[in-house]
């Protein structure tokens, strides 16, 4: 059973001096009641960790509220806790169902008595109100980026769908059993992958920790469901493919070209992108491949960030200042557009990320990047295996991955690569190092074939 007491900071007394209602949350065999504990108190007089009134004020004076001492008030809280603990024990002994908690509480503690003045009963805030307050406060406090806000909105949407599905109104629902039901909902009703579900359960724990600090729940947010996962393959262009892309002569729009799918089958397709557009997108993407820039940083890059032999830029994601030396390929791309003018003093033509991702797939298909990429993931206990042609997975972020993989394959030390990319955690580089080591092993095996 769970009986806990907390301050309802969403309902400050209208005619008080900042006093906040003390509320009681009772949970027995899945049935829940949240109601007033019968008095209000200034927040600084409440001991949330021990869920009771402090014996003295910050100035050392004894706490007295409406003529009642802290011991009187804590005695009431203890009576509530003891009553429902005994009630639950009696139910277990007699194997009886839970009765009407609201009626029981009202009968024992709701009437006005000489020891405690009656409080007006108010409806407890819904979990939706807490979730909204959590997202608004944390977004403002941590200055979430647009992508983070969008991702948290998705989390909020799934949470609210689950609230409706299981008629949930309390944060206390999300103990180990409640969290497991949420996971099963995401698997069965939302058909999400385990990797995505893990992300959402992590955010649920974040929400519970926030609620705990506010005094809205006593849950510890320490339950992590065990979900099967696999490593996501790193999609990148090896050096030969990168050179092919850099030097590719794009045909005119409407030209019919012959292509080959992942199984070696021939097919024809008409070019659906303007030659000039394809070339500009290719150049911007290749610049990322030769500098390690993320798309968000490429879009913010200005000519004033370029100092002859290097780029000096504060990254948008990590707010770290990085110095990236220019090589002959990145210099050539900058020189190509030296005499052109772009918005925001940009040195290269950059379009929206969504359009760029769409066009990169078309460009990758034209270039014949049809190597099979095997992706395995789990949805619950179900294993799913899929095969994609590489061009179908091309996005702006492939440029950064291409830079890292090729740098390591060229023998550049990981510590140097991390200086360019802004990585501070060596563990983040490990998957790339494994790819480079495998490539070296495959290259060495060529001697055995001679």
């Amino acid at each position: 059973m769970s009986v806990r007491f907390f301050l309802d900071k969403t309902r400050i007394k209208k005619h008080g001096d900042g006093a906040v209602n003390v509320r009681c949350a009772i949970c027995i065999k899945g049935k829940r009641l949240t109601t007033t504990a019968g008095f209000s108190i200034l927040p600084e007089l409440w001991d949330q960790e021990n869920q009771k009134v402090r014996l003295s004020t910050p100035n050392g004076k004894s706490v007295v509220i409406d003529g009642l001492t802290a011991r009187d008030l804590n005695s009431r809280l203890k009576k509530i806790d003891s009553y429902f603990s005994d009630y639950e024990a009696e139910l277990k002994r007699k194997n009886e169902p839970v009765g009407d908690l609201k009626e029981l509480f009202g009968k024992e503690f709701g009437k006005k008595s000489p020891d405690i003045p009656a409080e007006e009963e108010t409806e407890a805030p819904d979990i939706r109100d807490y979730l909204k307050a959590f997202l608004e406060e944390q977004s403002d406090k941590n200055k979430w980026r647009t992508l983070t806000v969008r991702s948290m909105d998705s989390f909020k949407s799934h949470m609210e769908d689950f609230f409706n599905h299981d008629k949930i109104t309390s944060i206390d629902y999300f103990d180990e059993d409640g969290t497991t039901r949420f996971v099963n909902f995401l698997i069965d009703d939302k058909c999400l992958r385990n990797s995505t579900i893990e992300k959402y359960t992590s955010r649920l724990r974040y929400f519970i920790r926030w609620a705990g600090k506010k005094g809205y729940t006593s849950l510890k947010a320490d339950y992590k469901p065990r979900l099967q996962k696999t490593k996501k393959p790193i999609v990148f262009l090896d050096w030969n493919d990168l050179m092919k892309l850099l030097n590719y002569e794009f045909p005119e729009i409407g030209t019919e070209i012959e292509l080959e799918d992942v199984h070696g089958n021939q097919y024809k397709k008409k070019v659906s992108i303007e030659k000039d557009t394809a070339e500009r997108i290719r150049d911007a993407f290749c610049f990322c491949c030769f500098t390690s820039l993320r798309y968000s940083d490429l879009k913010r890059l200005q000519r004033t960030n370029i100092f002859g032999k290097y780029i000096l830029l504060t990254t948008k994601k990590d707010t770290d200042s990085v110095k990236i030396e220019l090589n002959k390929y990145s210099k050539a791309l900058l020189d190509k557009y030296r005499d052109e003018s772009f918005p925001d003093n940009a040195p290269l033509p950059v379009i929206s990320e969504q359009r760029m991702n769409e066009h990169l797939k078309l460009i990758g298909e034209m270039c014949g990047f049809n190597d099979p990429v095997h992706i395995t993931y789990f949805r619950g206990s179900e294993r799913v295996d899929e095969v994609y042609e590489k061009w179908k997975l091309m996005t702006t972020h492939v440029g950064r991955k291409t830079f890292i993989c090729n740098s390591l394959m060229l023998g550049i030390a990981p510590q140097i690569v991390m200086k360019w990319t802004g990585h501070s955690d060596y563990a983040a580089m490990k998957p790339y190092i494994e790819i480079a080591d495998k490539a070296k092993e495959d290259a060495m095996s060529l001697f055995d074939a001679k």
Side-chain angles (χ1 to χ4, degrees), residues 251-404:
E252 297 291 342
I253 189 170
T255 303
E256 188 173 74
I257 56 178
E258 289 191 0
L259 300 170
E260 187 177 283
D261 66 18
V262 69
H263 302 293
N265 300 315
Q266 303 289 325
Y267 67 99
K268 293 182 179 180
K269 187 173 183 178
K270 286 187 178 181
V271 175
S272 59
I273 182 173
E274 293 284 355
K275 179 178 180 178
D276 182 62
T277 300
E279 187 173 315
R280 286 171 174 253
I281 291 171
R282 182 268 311 277
D283 291 345
F285 175 77
C286 283
F287 191 75
C288 292
C289 294
F290 293 119
T291 60
S292 83
L293 288 180
R294 298 183 181 92
Y295 165 80
S296 58
D297 294 323
L298 174 66
K299 192 172 183 180
R300 294 170 58 251
L301 187 67
Q302 299 181 346
R303 295 186 189 274
T304 52
N305 296 120
I306 303 169
F307 298 88
K309 294 183 178 181
Y310 61 88
I311 295 170
L312 192 61
L313 181 71
T314 300
T315 62
K316 183 177 181 180
K317 180 177 180 180
D318 305 311
T319 64
D320 293 328
S321 180
V322 295
K323 178 181 179 181
I324 305 173
E325 282 73 16
L326 296 169
N327 52 51
K328 69 176 184 180
Y329 299 101
S330 53
K331 284 181 182 178
L333 289 167
L334 290 173
D335 289 341
K336 182 176 180 178
Y337 296 96
R338 183 182 298 278
D339 297 327
E340 294 195 44
S341 179
F342 303 110
D344 300 320
N345 198 28
L348 294 167
V350 181
I351 61 175
S352 72
E353 187 172 19
Q354 181 179 352
R355 285 184 59 212
M356 192 165 177
N357 284 336
E358 292 172 356
H359 291 327
L360 280 174
K361 290 173 175 57
L362 296 175
I363 291 171
E365 185 180 17
M366 280 191 282
C367 290
F369 298 151
N370 58 1
D371 293 336
V373 179
H374 297 263
I375 295 180
T376 299
Y377 61 89
F378 283 87
R379 186 182 292 123
S381 59
E382 176 192 4
R383 172 178 169 141
V384 181
D385 294 285
E386 296 176 345
V387 179
Y388 294 90
E389 291 161 308
K390 183 184 288 186
W391 63 264
K392 290 183 179 179
L393 302 175
M394 285 188 65
T395 64
T396 57
H397 203 57
V398 170
R400 181 173 168 86
K401 294 176 181 178
T402 295
F403 174 87
I404 297 172

Side-chain angles (χ1 to χ4, degrees), residues 9-192:
K9 296 180 181 179
T10 64
R11 297 178 182 275
I12 298 176
K13 293 182 69 176
K14 294 181 180 178
H15 306 295
D17 54 359
V20 179
N21 286 334
V22 177
R23 297 187 71 82
C24 172
I26 303 164
C27 176
I28 301 177
K29 292 185 177 181
K31 284 199 173 184
R32 292 171 170 80
L33 170 69
T34 302
T35 185
T36 178
F39 62 95
S40 299
I41 190 173
L42 293 172
E44 59 265 28
L45 302 181
W46 179 252
D47 181 352
Q48 179 55 42
E49 183 177 352
N50 296 304
Q51 297 182 41
K52 64 180 183 180
V53 181
R54 299 183 187 278
L55 298 180
S56 59
T57 68
N59 295 328
K61 297 181 180 180
S62 297
V63 172
V64 179
I65 299 174
D66 293 330
L68 299 170
T69 67
R71 287 185 171 83
D72 294 331
L73 298 171
N74 289 330
S75 175
R76 176 177 173 84
L77 299 181
K78 186 174 181 180
K79 286 178 183 178
I80 295 173
D81 184 42
S82 297
Y83 175 82
F84 284 99
S85 295
D86 293 342
Y87 174 67
E88 182 184 39
E90 185 71 8
L91 291 180
K92 288 181 179 179
R93 187 178 67 81
K94 295 182 178 180
N95 195 25
E96 293 179 350
V98 181
D100 189 324
L101 295 179
K102 183 175 181 180
E103 183 179 335
L104 287 169
F105 188 93
K107 181 180 178 181
E108 295 295 325
F109 305 102
K111 294 181 180 180
K112 188 172 181 179
S113 62
D115 63 320
I116 295 291
E119 284 279 344
E120 180 183 354
E121 175 62 22
T122 57
E123 183 181 351
D126 189 272
I127 190 172
R128 290 169 178 78
D129 299 325
Y130 289 132
L131 181 60
K132 181 181 178 183
F134 159 70
L135 294 172
E136 289 178 351
E137 178 185 302
Q138 295 302 298
S139 177
D140 181 65
K141 178 181 177 181
N142 298 307
K143 309 301 179 187
W144 284 345
R145 298 179 301 125
T146 302
L147 288 177
T148 303
V149 171
R150 193 180 306 161
S151 180
M152 293 302 267
D153 283 343
S154 296
F155 165 67
K156 178 175 179 284
S157 177
H158 287 307
M159 286 284 284
E160 290 179 336
D161 287 346
F162 184 59
F163 298 159
N164 295 332
H165 184 271
D166 274 24
K167 296 182 174 58
I168 298 162
T169 59
S170 171
I171 299 173
D172 290 334
Y173 177 91
F174 290 98
D175 54 12
E176 183 173 334
D177 290 338
T179 300
T180 299
R181 284 191 283 272
F182 178 53
V183 168
N184 290 337
F185 170 77
L186 296 178
I187 294 170
D188 299 332
D189 292 64
K190 294 294 185 174
C191 299
L192 298 182

Side-chain angles (χ1 to χ4, degrees), residues 444-450:
M444 183 61 73
S445 67
L446 294 177
F447 283 95
D448 299 331
K450 296 297 183 181

